[in-house]
Amino acid sequence: MALFGKKDEGGLLDVIRCDEENYLIWKWRPSGEANSTNKENSIRWGSSLRVKDGEVAVFVYKQADGVTQEFIEGPFDETIKTANFPIISNIIGLAFAGKSPFQAEVYFINLAGNQKLPFGVPYFDVSDSRFLDFPVKMSARGSMIFNITDYKGFIKLHRLINFDLTKFNNLVRDSVIKYVKSVIVNAPIDHGMPVLQIERKLLEINDLIAPRIKKAFEEDFGVNLVRFDLETIEVNKDTDEYRELRNVTANLQAELMAKQNEVNMQNLEDTQAINATNMAESLRIQRKQAELQAESMHLNAHQVNKQAEVLSAAANNLGQMGSMGGGGMGGGLGGGGGMNPAGVMMAMGVGGAMGSQMANMANISGQGIQQQMMAPPPMPQIQYNVSINGQSLGPFNMSQLQGMVAQGQLSPSTHVWKAGMANWDVASNVGELAPLFAAPPPPPPPPSGS
């Protein structure tokens, strides 16, 4: 079966495939040795190539003018021939009836699987922006999951010839460590996170790191970050700097609490003083209103007394009207001291009018005082809100509701509500609205004889 001499110098290779379960980039080596040789990579036309779904096989040809690559995406299970390898067909001759071997390195790239890579950041110094003299040592651990989606973009960034996955993972891990340290060191200044509380800010810091790492993975390594997990931030609590920082922050916290208590007490005293002032002012206003009301009542009584005095004086004057004109008319009546009938009648008329006026004035004044002392509140009006086209309109009084019935805006099926009702209800279920929907009386009968 050997075509090229001894087996360890290359020969007929029946199947080219990747049987690894968990990999990102895997290099196929015909002899299984770590270092490939040109003889070892001799591939014969007609050999089988098997590429599973979610894989791509990359054939790398080293030529004098550079490197040429050919991509076979899975699923693929065929023999190597001119139809499916157009590039190599143009490079090599078809000697020996197309059975000439050719040199190539074969890499399998996993497009379906995710690679999980743990990382750890050794202790580094983090300073609180308020206490720069007390740096605290911290470490961080976590993991990341990434995959390859754009394999051609990945190949542009990396030489596949003798690709070393361990070196690649180390480069990725170093980049992650750089970003993790940068974000945590600057978190106290950039995001106001106290150093002693950073352990409790794990999720916030994770969300700050992930976007930066995702961008770096895409631009620098050609891979897609699926997930980034910052699992722990550990503070070294056995250092003098940590203990000093705790003491300083504890003292500061005590001072802040004392200041806050002082401010709270002052606010309480100010509030009590303001309330006392408001209460005194309210009482003063109430007393003033009572005094004004008493003065108003006294003024009304005084006006009644004055009017009574005026009317009394007028009545006394009327008593003398009986002798009005005694000198001129007395001869006819039998003497100067006799009673004047006309004057008596005038006095009676004027006195009656004045008495009636006094009674009216007393009655009006009394009613005014009584109304001031016992004025009843106005009668409440029945008012309803009405639901029209899904909107609450109103409130409307009974007269307005009657107009809405006449205009067709309110019907027995319309929902209504007023204060005191638990929920909206149709108007036909509300007893006091029933008269609005009563049928009008029939027209009167025509007059008889028509």
Side-chain angles (χ1 to χ4, degrees), residues 119 121 123-124 126 136-142 180-181 183-185 187 193-206 209 228-237:
F119 69 89
V121 186
Y123 281 114
F124 56 97
V126 182
V136 175
K137 292 188 177 299
M138 297 186 181
S139 64
R141 293 192 307 273
V180 171
K181 288 179 62 175
V183 171
I184 295 178
V185 166
M193 295 183 185
V195 167
L196 298 181
Q197 297 182 12
I198 280 185
E199 291 176 290
R200 292 181 288 175
K201 302 293 184 179
L202 194 65
L203 294 179
E204 290 88 336
I205 294 178
N206 188 96
I209 298 173
F228 174 81
D229 287 312
L230 182 64
E231 296 169 0
T232 181
I233 298 176
E234 182 180 348
V235 177
N236 188 348
K237 300 178 181 179

Side-chain angles (χ1 to χ4, degrees), residues 12-73:
L12 179 61
L13 304 173
D14 294 328
V15 179
I16 301 172
R17 65 185 182 185
C18 174
D19 293 327
E20 297 292 319
E21 294 184 0
N22 184 24
Y23 73 99
L24 182 67
I25 307 291
W26 183 78
K27 181 181 179 180
W28 175 78
R29 290 184 170 89
S31 64
E33 298 179 2
N35 296 319
S36 61
T37 64
N38 288 339
K39 291 183 179 181
E40 189 178 61
N41 289 333
S42 295
I43 301 173
R44 185 177 182 275
W45 289 103
S47 296
S48 296
L49 174 64
R50 296 179 182 176
V51 185
K52 298 189 292 292
D53 189 17
E55 290 181 340
V56 60
V58 184
F59 284 71
V60 181
Y61 315 119
K62 291 185 289 186
Q63 303 296 316
D65 56 350
V67 176
T68 305
Q69 298 162 342
E70 197 148 27
F71 307 98
I72 307 297
E73 296 185 10

Side-chain angles (χ1 to χ4, degrees), residues 233-244:
I233 298 176
E234 182 180 348
V235 177
N236 188 348
K237 300 178 181 179
D238 295 329
T239 62
D240 293 336
E241 289 82 3
Y242 176 80
R243 287 188 285 268
E244 288 288 342

Side-chain angles (χ1 to χ4, degrees), residues 109-141:
I109 300 178
N110 187 355
L111 303 179
N114 295 326
Q115 296 297 307
K116 183 174 182 179
L117 185 63
F119 69 89
V121 186
Y123 281 114
F124 56 97
D125 290 339
V126 182
S127 297
D128 197 297
S129 59
R130 301 167 297 172
F131 312 104
L132 299 178
D133 295 333
F134 307 103
V136 175
K137 292 188 177 299
M138 297 186 181
S139 64
R141 293 192 307 273

Side-chain angles (χ1 to χ4, degrees), residues 123-197:
Y123 281 114
F124 56 97
D125 290 339
V126 182
S127 297
D128 197 297
S129 59
R130 301 167 297 172
F131 312 104
L132 299 178
D133 295 333
F134 307 103
V136 175
K137 292 188 177 299
M138 297 186 181
S139 64
R141 293 192 307 273
S143 63
M144 60 205 127
I145 299 175
F146 60 90
N147 57 24
I148 297 177
T149 53
D150 180 10
Y151 63 86
K152 293 184 178 180
F154 176 85
I155 293 172
K156 288 181 181 180
L157 294 173
H158 306 282
R159 293 181 69 253
L160 284 186
I161 295 179
N162 295 324
F163 179 85
D164 190 330
L165 181 59
T166 301
K167 292 181 179 179
F168 176 78
N169 285 341
N170 289 337
L171 289 174
V172 171
R173 189 181 286 109
D174 291 343
S175 178
V176 170
I177 291 174
K178 177 184 69 175
Y179 283 105
V180 171
K181 288 179 62 175
S182 175
V183 171
I184 295 178
V185 166
N186 292 291
I189 297 176
D190 295 344
H191 303 283
M193 295 183 185
V195 167
L196 298 181
Q197 297 182 12

Side-chain angles (χ1 to χ4, degrees), residues 9 46 87 142 154-155 185 192-193 221 263 270 298 325 348 352 372 416 421 434:
E9 295 180 354
I87 294 179
F154 176 85
I155 293 172
V185 166
M193 295 183 185
F221 304 111
V263 171
D270 293 343
H298 178 72
M348 290 176 64
Q372 291 179 0
V416 297
M421 292 176 61

